[in-house]
């Protein structure tokens, strides 16, 4: 339905991707902070309904981590991070602040999505007001048309 249309839109897909990644990283941070292993947290995140692409990417990252690859490399190669995020995750795993780094990554994606929503609202709001004004104006004109017809019929050539 609507998600399929959004995923096929080249303009909206990256924005929805920010939302999904924010949801993923926030979930990972909460579960990791709550005592889950990273593998268990990834397994739980497979059930979040993040879309087909992220599901495949999570599965690939999980398999790579199980083979002994680093978390930052596995997530980067699966397409779940950009270069900045991969470096942050690598630093977080070395420093022992992994859950905090995951929360910061989630916040970055949430901020990007919020910015998009604010800008889209600023664009769409005036357009909606214009549509409503045109609709109300049309209704008013349509209501007065019969009155003008009656008035022109009363003052016609027969008098």
């Amino acid at each position: 339905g609507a998600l399929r249309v959004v995923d096929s839109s080249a303009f909206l897909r990256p924005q929805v991707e920010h939302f999904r990644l924010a949801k993923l990283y926030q979930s990972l941070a909460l579960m990791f902070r709550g005592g889950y292993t990273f593998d268990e947290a990834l397994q739980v995140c497979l059930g979040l309904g993040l879309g087909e692409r992220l599901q495949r990417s999570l599965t690939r990252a999980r398999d790579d981590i199980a083979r002994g690859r680093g978390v930052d490399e596995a997530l980067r190669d699966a397409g779940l991070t950009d270069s900045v995020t991969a470096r942050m995750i690598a630093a977080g795993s070395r420093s022992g602040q992994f859950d905090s780094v995951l929360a910061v990554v989630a916040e970055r994606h949430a901020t990007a999505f919020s910015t998009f929503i604010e800008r889209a609202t600023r664009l769409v709001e005036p357009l909606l007001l214009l549509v409503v004004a045109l609709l109300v104006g049309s209704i008013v004109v349509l209501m007065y048309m019969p009155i003008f017809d009656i008035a022109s019929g009363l003052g016609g050539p027969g008098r």
Side-chain angles (χ1 to χ4, degrees), residues 128-144:
L128 287 176
L129 287 171
L130 180 64
V131 167
V132 168
L134 289 173
L135 187 65
V136 169
S138 299
I139 290 171
V140 168
V141 168
L142 290 173
M143 286 175 57
Y144 277 108

Side-chain angles (χ1 to χ4, degrees), residues 113-136:
F113 184 70
S114 295
T115 302
F116 165 73
I117 293 297
E118 286 175 20
R119 289 180 180 164
T121 302
R122 287 185 195 151
L123 288 174
V124 172
E125 190 174 330
L127 292 175
L128 287 176
L129 287 171
L130 180 64
V131 167
V132 168
L134 289 173
L135 187 65
V136 169

